[in-house]
């Protein structure tokens, strides 16, 4: 089911032409632009620098201030590279994307497709998260579907939607997730969830220690897996070098074993896998994200 996209005002057309023109530049040229974005965001305007440094200090209390600063600088450069890599999706061919993103073990999902089952893929804002779904549509026999939150600006919603679906990926608006899963129940596919979003107290999250800080996580993976008997995999995207990534899939739940109510074992397994990835690749996580902005509310006696 394709969402109805809002028409955007005509005065966005020059911006669209500019972005599409930039997208046609070779990546090696776009990386020069990324270098400039890095210098501007880190040294000139200090984009969310206080948030980034605070997140890093709390997450890596064992590191010195010098090490924290080095991770921060490397993160801002990586962040700028993700920007231009995402823009490149406007013209990138499926063959080129397949060369740049390697699925190391697609058989983890393919075995469920052979059984005619839907699986959930839990991913995060690490590596190049925008290339995960688009490359999954190229690598996986049953394609890839992703739950997303539509952008409020009609131009950027339309533009990003086109980028994300060019290679055949399908997008599911967040509010239509349950309806979509019911409608296409039994269809072999993977439905990807970005599961590191910050869940607030009103979402009745699963609270756990994450990178030395208590954080609330959405529990939709546990609830959907229990309701629909979906297998669940953790999707790890790791940067091999500039412009090249590999995706490793780890099974978190087989779709059939009993799940203990209220324990959120799947979400907890996701958190532990994500922590390992962040420790292994600290510069590749989205540190501008205010992941720990919510605090657990005290119990009412």
């Amino acid at each position: 089911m394709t969402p109805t996209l809002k028409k955007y005002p005509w005065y966005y057309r020059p911006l669209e032409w500019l972005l599409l023109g930039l997208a046609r530049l070779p990546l090696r040229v776009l990386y020069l632009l990324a270098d400039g974005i890095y210098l501007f965001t880190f040294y000139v305007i200090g984009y969310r620098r206080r948030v980034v440094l605070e997140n890093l200090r709390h997450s890596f209390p064992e590191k010195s201030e010098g090490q924290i600063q080095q991770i921060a600088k490397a993160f801002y450069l990586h962040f700028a590279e993700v920007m231009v890599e995402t823009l490149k999706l406007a013209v990138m061919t499926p063959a080129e994307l397949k060369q740049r993103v390697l699925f190391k073990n697609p058989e983890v999902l393919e075995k469920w497709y052979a059984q005619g089952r839907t699986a959930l893929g839990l991913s995060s804002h690490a590596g190049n998260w925008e290339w995960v779904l688009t490359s999954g549509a190229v690598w996986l026999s049953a394609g890839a579907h992703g739950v997303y939150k539509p952008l409020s600006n009609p131009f950027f919603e339309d533009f990003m939607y086109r980028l994300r679906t060019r290679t055949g990926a399908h997008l599911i608006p967040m509010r239509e997730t349950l309806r979509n899963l019911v409608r296409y129940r039994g269809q072999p596919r993977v439905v990807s969830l970005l599961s590191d979003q910050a869940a607030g107290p009103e979402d009745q999250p699963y609270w756990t220690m994450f990178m030395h800080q208590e954080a609330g996580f959405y529990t939709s993976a546990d609830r959907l897996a229990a309701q629909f008997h979906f297998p669940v995999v953790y999707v790890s995207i790791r940067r091999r070098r500039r412009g090249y990534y590999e995706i490793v899939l780890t099974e978190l739940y087989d779709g059939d074993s009993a799940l203990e109510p209220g324990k959120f074992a799947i979400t907890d397994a996701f958190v532990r896998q994500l922590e390992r990835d962040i420790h292994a690749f600290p510069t590749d996580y989205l540190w501008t994200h205010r992941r720990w902005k919510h605090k657990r509310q005290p119990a009412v006696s």
Side-chain angles (χ1 to χ4, degrees):
M1 181 168 57
T2 301
T4 301
L5 300 176
K6 297 179 181 178
K7 296 296 181 181
Y8 54 87
W10 63 268
Y11 50 77
Y12 279 105
R13 286 297 182 186
L15 176 58
E16 179 183 17
W17 298 332
L18 172 63
L19 293 176
L20 292 177
L22 289 173
R24 295 186 180 280
L25 296 173
L27 263 177
R28 65 179 181 276
V29 177
L30 287 176
Y31 284 134
L32 295 177
L33 175 61
D35 292 339
I37 294 173
Y38 153 65
L39 294 173
F40 183 72
T41 54
F42 185 78
Y43 289 102
V44 179
I45 65 171
Y47 172 69
R48 291 199 175 186
R49 188 159 61 184
R50 180 180 299 178
V51 173
V52 170
L53 292 174
E54 182 178 289
N55 284 343
L56 288 172
R57 289 171 185 141
H58 290 164
S59 298
F60 301 101
E62 75 284 0
K63 293 188 182 297
S64 68
E65 183 60 24
Q67 291 173 314
I68 294 296
Q69 293 288 340
Q70 287 300 315
I71 294 174
K73 291 177 183 178
F75 157 72
Y76 274 94
L77 178 57
H78 171 64
F79 186 41
E81 292 172 356
V82 170
M83 289 183 188
V84 300
E85 289 170 358
T86 300
L87 180 61
K88 191 65 178 177
L89 284 174
V91 297
M92 188 177 287
T93 65
E96 184 179 2
L97 189 60
K98 193 170 185 178
Q99 286 181 340
R100 291 185 171 275
V101 184
L102 171 67
F103 266 72
K104 292 200 71 174
N105 55 342
E107 64 275 7
V108 172
L109 282 171
E110 295 292 347
K111 68 178 180 181
W112 302 120
Y113 298 160
Q115 299 175 22
R117 300 180 70 171
T118 295
L120 297 180
L122 306 187
S123 57
S124 68
H125 291 88
N128 186 330
W129 54 93
E130 291 291 352
W131 280 11
V132 175
L133 192 70
T134 51
S135 60
V138 175
W139 274 95
L140 303 172
S141 64
H145 299 241
V147 175
Y148 84 113
K149 184 177 180 180
L151 301 173
S152 58
N153 181 288
F155 167 72
F156 286 106
E157 166 62 8
D158 178 88
F159 189 77
M160 290 303 298
Y161 185 91
R162 283 183 282 153
L163 260 59
R164 291 165 171 166
T165 58
R166 275 193 72 251
T167 60
H170 300 270
L171 294 179
I172 305 169
M174 187 181 298
R175 292 185 177 182
E176 299 178 17
T177 303
L178 187 59
R179 183 188 309 170
N180 183 281
L181 293 175
V182 171
R183 182 176 180 180
Y184 298 102
R185 188 171 187 168
Q187 177 179 319
R189 59 177 179 158
V190 61
V191 176
S192 177
L193 307 173
L194 272 172
S195 299
D196 63 334
Q197 301 281 11
E202 70 280 2
D203 301 304
Q204 298 183 324
Y206 168 62
W207 292 95
T208 185
M209 294 302 293
F210 171 55
M211 300 300 295
H212 300 283
Q213 304 155 83
E214 191 172 50
F217 285 82
Y218 287 103
T219 59
S220 53
D222 286 86
R223 291 184 282 105
L224 294 173
Q227 180 177 353
F228 293 97
H229 299 285
F230 289 152
V232 183
V233 299
Y234 172 71
V235 183
S236 172
I237 180 164
R238 305 167 182 177
R239 183 168 49 138
R240 293 185 290 168
R241 66 181 191 275
R242 198 177 218 186
Y244 290 87
Y245 300 84
E246 65 180 20
I247 291 177
V248 180
L249 305 174
T250 303
E251 183 180 309
L252 300 182
Y253 175 61
D254 63 9
D256 298 313
S257 302
L259 292 169
E260 189 173 352
K263 293 299 183 181
F264 307 113
I266 296 172
T267 300
D268 189 74
F270 163 78
V271 174
R272 306 285 81 85
Q273 290 281 350
L274 178 57
E275 278 190 321
R276 281 191 281 271
D277 273 357
I278 292 174
H279 279 288
F281 311 99
T283 64
D284 293 356
Y285 191 60
L286 185 61
W287 295 108
T288 54
H289 179 37
R290 295 185 64 195
R291 184 63 191 81
W292 294 272
K293 64 182 177 181
H294 299 298
K295 303 299 179 184
R296 190 204 296 251
Q297 298 297 312
V300 178
S301 57

Coordinates of all heavy atoms in Angstrom, one line a residue, residues 59-105:
S59 N 28.2 7.7 27.7 CA 28.2 6.4 27.1 C 29.6 5.7 27.3 O 29.7 4.5 27.3 CB 27.8 6.4 25.6 OG 26.5 6.9 25.5
F60 N 30.6 6.5 27.3 CA 32.0 6.0 27.5 C 32.7 6.6 28.6 O 33.7 7.4 28.4 CB 32.8 6.2 26.2 CG 32.2 5.6 24.9 CD1 31.4 6.3 24.0 CD2 32.3 4.2 24.7 CE1 30.9 5.8 22.9 CE2 31.8 3.6 23.6 CZ 31.0 4.4 22.7
P61 N 32.3 6.4 29.9 CA 32.9 7.0 31.0 C 34.3 6.7 31.2 O 35.1 7.4 31.9 CB 32.0 6.6 32.2 CG 31.4 5.3 31.7 CD 31.2 5.5 30.3
E62 N 34.8 5.6 30.6 CA 36.1 5.1 30.8 C 37.1 5.8 29.8 O 38.3 5.7 30.0 CB 36.2 3.6 30.5 CG 36.1 3.2 29.0 CD 34.7 3.2 28.4 OE1 33.8 3.6 29.1 OE2 34.6 2.9 27.2
K63 N 36.6 6.6 28.9 CA 37.5 7.3 27.9 C 37.8 8.7 28.4 O 37.1 9.4 29.1 CB 36.8 7.4 26.6 CG 36.6 6.0 25.9 CD 36.1 6.1 24.5 CE 35.9 4.7 23.9 NZ 37.1 4.0 23.8
S64 N 39.0 9.1 28.0 CA 39.5 10.5 28.3 C 38.8 11.5 27.5 O 38.1 11.2 26.5 CB 41.0 10.6 28.1 OG 41.3 10.5 26.7
E65 N 38.9 12.8 27.9 CA 38.2 13.8 27.2 C 38.8 13.9 25.7 O 38.1 14.2 24.8 CB 38.4 15.2 27.9 CG 37.7 16.3 27.2 CD 36.2 16.2 27.1 OE1 35.6 15.4 27.9 OE2 35.6 16.8 26.2
G66 N 40.1 13.7 25.6 CA 40.7 13.7 24.3 C 40.2 12.6 23.4 O 39.9 12.9 22.2
Q67 N 39.9 11.4 23.9 CA 39.3 10.4 23.1 C 37.9 10.7 22.8 O 37.5 10.4 21.6 CB 39.4 9.1 23.9 CG 40.8 8.5 24.1 CD 40.8 7.3 25.1 OE1 40.2 7.3 26.1 NE2 41.5 6.3 24.7
I68 N 37.2 11.3 23.7 CA 35.8 11.7 23.4 C 35.7 12.7 22.2 O 34.9 12.6 21.3 CB 35.1 12.3 24.6 CG1 34.9 11.2 25.7 CG2 33.8 12.9 24.3 CD1 34.0 10.1 25.4
Q69 N 36.6 13.7 22.3 CA 36.7 14.7 21.2 C 37.0 14.0 19.8 O 36.5 14.4 18.8 CB 37.7 15.7 21.5 CG 37.4 16.6 22.7 CD 36.2 17.6 22.4 OE1 35.9 17.9 21.3 NE2 35.6 18.1 23.5
Q70 N 37.9 13.1 19.8 CA 38.3 12.4 18.6 C 37.1 11.6 18.0 O 36.9 11.6 16.8 CB 39.5 11.5 18.8 CG 40.8 12.2 19.0 CD 41.2 13.0 17.8 OE1 41.1 12.6 16.7 NE2 41.6 14.3 18.1
I71 N 36.4 10.9 18.9 CA 35.2 10.2 18.4 C 34.2 11.1 17.9 O 33.6 10.9 16.9 CB 34.6 9.3 19.6 CG1 35.6 8.2 20.0 CG2 33.3 8.7 19.2 CD1 35.1 7.5 21.3
A72 N 34.0 12.3 18.6 CA 33.0 13.3 18.1 C 33.4 13.8 16.7 O 32.5 13.9 15.8 CB 32.9 14.4 19.1
K73 N 34.6 14.1 16.5 CA 35.1 14.6 15.2 C 34.8 13.6 14.1 O 34.3 13.9 13.0 CB 36.5 15.0 15.2 CG 36.8 16.3 16.1 CD 38.3 16.6 16.1 CE 38.6 17.8 17.0 NZ 40.0 18.0 17.1
A74 N 35.2 12.3 14.4 CA 35.0 11.2 13.4 C 33.6 11.0 13.2 O 33.2 10.7 12.0 CB 35.7 10.0 13.9
F75 N 32.7 11.1 14.2 CA 31.3 11.0 14.0 C 30.8 12.0 13.1 O 30.0 11.8 12.1 CB 30.5 11.0 15.3 CG 29.1 11.4 15.1 CD1 28.2 10.6 14.6 CD2 28.7 12.7 15.5 CE1 26.9 10.9 14.3 CE2 27.4 13.1 15.2 CZ 26.5 12.2 14.7
Y76 N 31.1 13.3 13.3 CA 30.6 14.4 12.4 C 31.0 14.2 11.0 O 30.2 14.5 10.0 CB 31.1 15.7 12.9 CG 30.2 16.3 14.0 CD1 30.5 16.1 15.3 CD2 29.1 17.1 13.7 CE1 29.7 16.7 16.3 CE2 28.2 17.6 14.6 CZ 28.5 17.4 16.0 OH 27.7 17.9 16.9
L77 N 32.2 13.7 10.7 CA 32.6 13.4 9.4 C 31.8 12.3 8.8 O 31.3 12.3 7.6 CB 34.1 13.0 9.3 CG 34.6 12.6 7.9 CD1 34.4 13.8 6.9 CD2 36.1 12.3 8.0
H78 N 31.6 11.2 9.6 CA 30.7 10.1 9.1 C 29.3 10.6 8.8 O 28.7 10.2 7.8 CB 30.7 9.0 10.1 CG 29.7 7.9 9.9 ND1 29.8 7.1 8.7 CD2 28.6 7.5 10.5 CE1 28.8 6.2 8.7 NE2 28.1 6.5 9.8
F79 N 28.8 11.4 9.7 CA 27.4 12.0 9.6 C 27.3 12.7 8.2 O 26.3 12.6 7.5 CB 27.1 12.9 10.7 CG 25.7 13.4 10.8 CD1 24.6 12.6 10.5 CD2 25.5 14.7 11.2 CE1 23.3 13.1 10.6 CE2 24.2 15.2 11.2 CZ 23.1 14.4 11.0
A80 N 28.3 13.5 7.9 CA 28.3 14.2 6.6 C 28.3 13.3 5.5 O 27.7 13.5 4.4 CB 29.5 15.2 6.6
E81 N 29.1 12.2 5.6 CA 29.2 11.2 4.5 C 27.9 10.5 4.3 O 27.5 10.3 3.2 CB 30.3 10.2 4.8 CG 31.7 10.8 4.8 CD 32.8 9.9 5.3 OE1 32.4 8.7 5.7 OE2 33.9 10.2 5.2
V82 N 27.1 10.2 5.4 CA 25.8 9.6 5.3 C 24.9 10.6 4.5 O 24.0 10.1 3.7 CB 25.3 9.3 6.7 CG1 23.8 8.8 6.6 CG2 26.1 8.1 7.3
M83 N 25.0 11.9 4.8 CA 24.1 12.8 4.1 C 24.3 12.7 2.5 O 23.3 12.6 1.8 CB 24.5 14.3 4.5 CG 24.0 14.6 5.9 SD 24.4 16.4 6.2 CE 24.1 16.4 8.0
V84 N 25.5 12.7 2.1 CA 25.8 12.7 0.6 C 25.5 11.3 0.1 O 25.0 11.2 -1.1 CB 27.2 13.2 0.3 CG1 27.4 14.7 0.7 CG2 28.3 12.3 0.8
E85 N 25.8 10.3 0.8 CA 25.4 8.9 0.4 C 23.9 8.8 0.2 O 23.5 8.1 -0.7 CB 26.0 7.9 1.3 CG 27.5 7.8 1.3 CD 28.1 7.0 2.4 OE1 27.3 6.5 3.3 OE2 29.3 6.8 2.5
T86 N 23.2 9.3 1.1 CA 21.7 9.3 1.0 C 21.2 10.0 -0.2 O 20.4 9.6 -1.0 CB 21.0 9.9 2.3 OG1 21.5 9.1 3.4 CG2 19.5 9.9 2.2
L87 N 21.8 11.2 -0.5 CA 21.4 12.0 -1.7 C 21.7 11.2 -2.9 O 21.0 11.2 -3.9 CB 22.2 13.3 -1.7 CG 21.9 14.2 -2.9 CD1 20.5 14.6 -2.9 CD2 22.8 15.5 -2.8
K88 N 22.8 10.4 -2.9 CA 23.2 9.7 -4.1 C 22.2 8.6 -4.5 O 22.2 8.1 -5.6 CB 24.6 9.0 -3.8 CG 25.2 8.4 -5.0 CD 25.6 9.4 -6.1 CE 26.3 8.8 -7.3 NZ 26.6 9.8 -8.4
L89 N 21.3 8.2 -3.5 CA 20.3 7.2 -3.8 C 19.4 7.7 -4.9 O 18.7 6.9 -5.6 CB 19.4 7.0 -2.6 CG 20.1 6.1 -1.5 CD1 19.1 6.0 -0.3 CD2 20.3 4.7 -2.0
A90 N 19.3 9.0 -5.2 CA 18.5 9.6 -6.2 C 18.8 9.0 -7.6 O 18.0 9.0 -8.5 CB 18.5 11.1 -6.2
V91 N 20.1 8.6 -7.8 CA 20.5 8.2 -9.1 C 21.3 6.9 -9.1 O 21.6 6.3 -10.1 CB 21.4 9.2 -9.8 CG1 20.7 10.5 -10.0 CG2 22.7 9.5 -9.0
M92 N 21.5 6.3 -7.9 CA 22.3 5.1 -7.8 C 21.5 3.9 -8.3 O 20.3 3.7 -8.1 CB 22.6 4.8 -6.3 CG 23.6 3.7 -6.1 SD 24.1 3.5 -4.3 CE 25.2 5.0 -4.2
T93 N 22.2 3.1 -9.1 CA 21.5 1.9 -9.7 C 21.5 0.7 -8.7 O 22.4 0.7 -7.8 CB 22.3 1.4 -10.9 OG1 23.6 1.0 -10.6 CG2 22.4 2.5 -12.0
P94 N 20.6 -0.2 -8.8 CA 20.6 -1.4 -7.9 C 21.9 -2.1 -7.9 O 22.4 -2.6 -6.9 CB 19.5 -2.2 -8.4 CG 18.5 -1.2 -9.1 CD 19.4 -0.2 -9.7
A95 N 22.6 -2.2 -9.1 CA 23.8 -2.9 -9.2 C 24.9 -2.2 -8.4 O 25.7 -2.9 -7.7 CB 24.2 -3.0 -10.7
E96 N 25.0 -0.9 -8.5 CA 26.0 -0.1 -7.8 C 25.7 -0.3 -6.3 O 26.7 -0.4 -5.5 CB 26.0 1.3 -8.2 CG 27.1 2.2 -7.5 CD 27.1 3.6 -7.9 OE1 26.2 4.0 -8.7 OE2 28.0 4.3 -7.4
L97 N 24.5 -0.2 -5.9 CA 24.2 -0.3 -4.4 C 24.5 -1.7 -3.9 O 25.1 -1.8 -2.8 CB 22.7 -0.1 -4.2 CG 22.2 0.0 -2.8 CD1 22.9 1.2 -2.1 CD2 20.7 0.2 -2.7
K98 N 24.3 -2.7 -4.7 CA 24.7 -4.1 -4.3 C 26.2 -4.2 -4.2 O 26.7 -5.0 -3.3 CB 24.2 -5.1 -5.3 CG 24.2 -6.5 -4.8 CD 23.4 -7.5 -5.7 CE 23.4 -8.9 -5.2 NZ 22.6 -9.8 -6.0
Q99 N 27.0 -3.5 -5.0 CA 28.4 -3.5 -4.8 C 28.9 -2.9 -3.5 O 29.9 -3.3 -2.9 CB 29.1 -2.8 -6.0 CG 29.0 -3.6 -7.3 CD 29.7 -2.9 -8.4 OE1 29.9 -1.7 -8.4 NE2 30.1 -3.6 -9.5
R100 N 28.1 -1.8 -3.1 CA 28.6 -1.0 -2.0 C 28.0 -1.5 -0.6 O 28.6 -1.2 0.4 CB 28.2 0.4 -2.2 CG 29.0 1.1 -3.3 CD 28.6 2.6 -3.4 NE 29.6 3.2 -4.4 CZ 30.7 3.7 -4.0 NH1 31.2 3.6 -2.8 NH2 31.5 4.3 -4.9
V101 N 27.0 -2.3 -0.7 CA 26.4 -2.9 0.6 C 26.3 -4.4 0.4 O 25.6 -4.9 -0.4 CB 25.0 -2.3 0.9 CG1 24.5 -2.8 2.2 CG2 25.0 -0.8 0.9
L102 N 27.1 -5.1 1.2 CA 27.2 -6.5 1.1 C 26.3 -7.1 2.3 O 26.6 -6.9 3.4 CB 28.6 -7.0 1.3 CG 28.9 -8.5 1.5 CD1 28.5 -9.2 0.2 CD2 30.3 -8.8 1.8
F103 N 25.4 -7.9 1.9 CA 24.6 -8.8 2.9 C 25.4 -10.0 3.1 O 25.5 -10.9 2.2 CB 23.2 -9.1 2.3 CG 22.2 -8.1 2.8 CD1 22.1 -6.8 2.3 CD2 21.2 -8.5 3.7 CE1 21.1 -6.0 2.7 CE2 20.2 -7.6 4.1 CZ 20.2 -6.3 3.6
K104 N 26.0 -10.2 4.2 CA 26.9 -11.3 4.4 C 26.2 -12.6 4.6 O 26.7 -13.7 4.2 CB 27.8 -11.1 5.7 CG 28.8 -9.9 5.5 CD 30.0 -10.0 6.5 CE 30.9 -11.2 6.2 NZ 32.1 -11.2 7.1
N105 N 25.0 -12.6 5.2 CA 24.3 -13.9 5.5 C 22.8 -13.7 5.2 O 22.0 -13.9 6.2 CB 24.5 -14.3 6.9 CG 24.2 -13.3 7.9 OD1 24.1 -12.1 7.7 ND2 24.0 -13.8 9.2

